[in-house]
Amino acid sequence: MKIKQLSVFVENKTGRINEVAQILGRHGINMTAFSLADNADFGILRMIVSDVERAEQVLREAHFGVSVTEVVCLSCANVPGALSEVLDGLAKEQVFIEYMYAFSEGDTARVVIRPTDLDRCIEILQHCPCCLISKSILKQ
Amino acid sequence: MIWNPTKECMSREDMRRLQGERLHKLVERVYHNTPFYRRKMQEMDVTPDDIRSVDDIVRLPFTTKQDLRDNYPYGLFAVPMSQIVRLHASSGTTGSPTVVGYTRRDLAIWAEMTARCLSAFGTDCNDIFSVAYGYGLFTGGLGLHYGVEYLGATVIPMSSGNTAKQIKLLHDFGATAIACTPSYALYLAEAMAKTGIPREEFRLKTGIFGAEPWTENMRREIEHKMGVNAYNIYGLSEVMGPGVSHECEYKDGSHIIEDHFLPEIISPETLEPLPYGEQGELVFTTLTKEGMPLLRYRTKDLCSLTDEPCRCGRTNVRMSRIVGRSDDMLIIRGVNVFPSQIESVILEMEEFEPHYLLIVDRVQNLDSLEVRVEVRDGFYSDEISKMLALRQKLSARLQSVLGIKADIKLVEPYSIERSEGKAKRVIDKRVLQ
Ligand SMILES: [Zn+2]
């Protein structure tokens, strides 16, 4: 249920994100989802990748600052209102979200959530109209 | 062990008498053999006969690095070139380099005083030293080299650079001691860890570091990473080279080789002598040097002196750590800032790597100070707010130490250059404008 997310510290310099993508590409690591959070000086690139351990290793060798955190990843119907129903469910149970990012393909939407309380979040989501994604599905 | 107890444990009274006698002879020598000093003394209306005890030192002229440059190359030598057996020179980052000449006796004294230092660090004839200071015009390499030989230990004349080979030889030759700059020691320790060779396979136990100012935090960092007992050795080529002062097992200040070098602390502004305990610019008079003796040489190094007895039994005066250099001192928005202050704050925080770069600039007539640091592996976060909190923590600490606000810039791992010599840690763009 818990998915490992890889975060990479990048200075705000042109081409840094591309370098990350190239390194992962060179090692045959696939990025399933990513988002960038930034401020004026630096950014944090958050990614769900096909092989976290390997990605962490190759990026560290290339002198990137990396960290791994656990997140939850879910899929729900790609129709208006579907996501808000899920988020309402979490809010009602006082589970707060540090950040989230989403992407959709066809009629399903996938959402990565970094909640303050991971275990509680998973528990609640199991009763929501969505489907939790396990690691094995993401690898494909 | 105390190598030369007669000189290192002399009573204060006897030391002052010895220094007084040597000072008188020194002044006679330079008055008669160095036109530069004769002229200066005549201008001040002082003759060698006026200098009878150490208290008379205040009547003598100062010497600055600029005087050495003005008299480039041999103008301050007090013996004919036939008696000079070696030359060393400092790299002139600004203007011409400075040259120092040594007689055979100077070199013998230098080796003996370096042996005193090494003995105070607990090393002896059973040790194997890797001397990783640069060999050449810089005094570090050869200075330590002959000290190790004088001690009777084994010397590996490694010189600086080629870190992979350094590590291989430290390992294969079973080196028990290393001498280099503290910033190179940190670099080397990192490189050693990366080889994957377990630390138990190295026999290193003593580290001898000098040639650039360093801090207690840096000592802890080196000792932890390299597994050595780290000691400070101080010196400067104009005066002799490494070995002018050294720590002992108590690491509470560095003992000055006072029978050869008479220390003073002066105010860099008024040039007035300051009492023991007060911080100011360190000044040396080379009591016994023949090749290029110097009167009251202004080192630009800021520290304090104490004559309180040390637990080790040595009675000579100790100097504190160098807190900065009077010419390194950055004046930012009217406040005196020493890079060493910033360094000690960074080294105290486990969240950051011990490498940093200061960039001083002037934006719209206002000085700015940017501090670039690398976050240590394990402290990176997926949350911007946590990274900002890290930055804020450093910023607050720096502000409380410096009294001014610095802009902290978190940079990617290894983006700050690791030094293989003296680290370049300050870029002052204001000078260029
Ligand atoms: Zn002592």
Side-chain angles (χ1 to χ4, degrees), chain B residues 246-253 255 309-314 316 318:
Chain B
H246 62 87
E247 286 181 328
C248 62
E249 66 265 39
Y250 294 101
K251 297 180 182 173
D252 186 15
H255 290 276
C310 181
R311 282 171 286 168
C312 71
R314 290 178 186 81
N316 43 22
R318 280 170 292 152

Side-chain angles (χ1 to χ4, degrees), chain B residues 37-54:
Chain B
Y37 281 122
R38 182 164 57 244
R39 208 169 41 243
K40 278 210 165 195
M41 285 173 63
Q42 282 168 346
E43 281 166 17
M44 296 168 82
D45 204 16
V46 186
T47 68
D49 279 344
D50 296 326
I51 310 301
R52 289 287 161 193
S53 81
V54 284

Side-chain angles (χ1 to χ4, degrees), chain B residues 27-96:
Chain B
V27 173
E28 264 188 339
R29 271 190 289 127
V30 298
Y31 190 84
H32 293 114
N33 300 323
T34 318
F36 168 80
Y37 281 122
R38 182 164 57 244
R39 208 169 41 243
K40 278 210 165 195
M41 285 173 63
Q42 282 168 346
E43 281 166 17
M44 296 168 82
D45 204 16
V46 186
T47 68
D49 279 344
D50 296 326
I51 310 301
R52 289 287 161 193
S53 81
V54 284
D55 296 325
D56 298 323
I57 189 131
V58 294
R59 306 187 58 181
L60 293 169
F62 287 106
T63 312
T64 63
K65 184 123 180 161
Q66 191 55 46
D67 292 328
L68 268 60
R69 289 201 190 101
D70 293 346
N71 290 281
Y72 175 82
Y74 304 146
L76 292 181
F77 287 14
V79 294
M81 284 308 284
S82 59
Q83 289 180 41
I84 296 287
V85 298
R86 195 196 298 168
L87 296 175
H88 277 290
S90 71
S91 56
T93 38
T94 49
S96 37

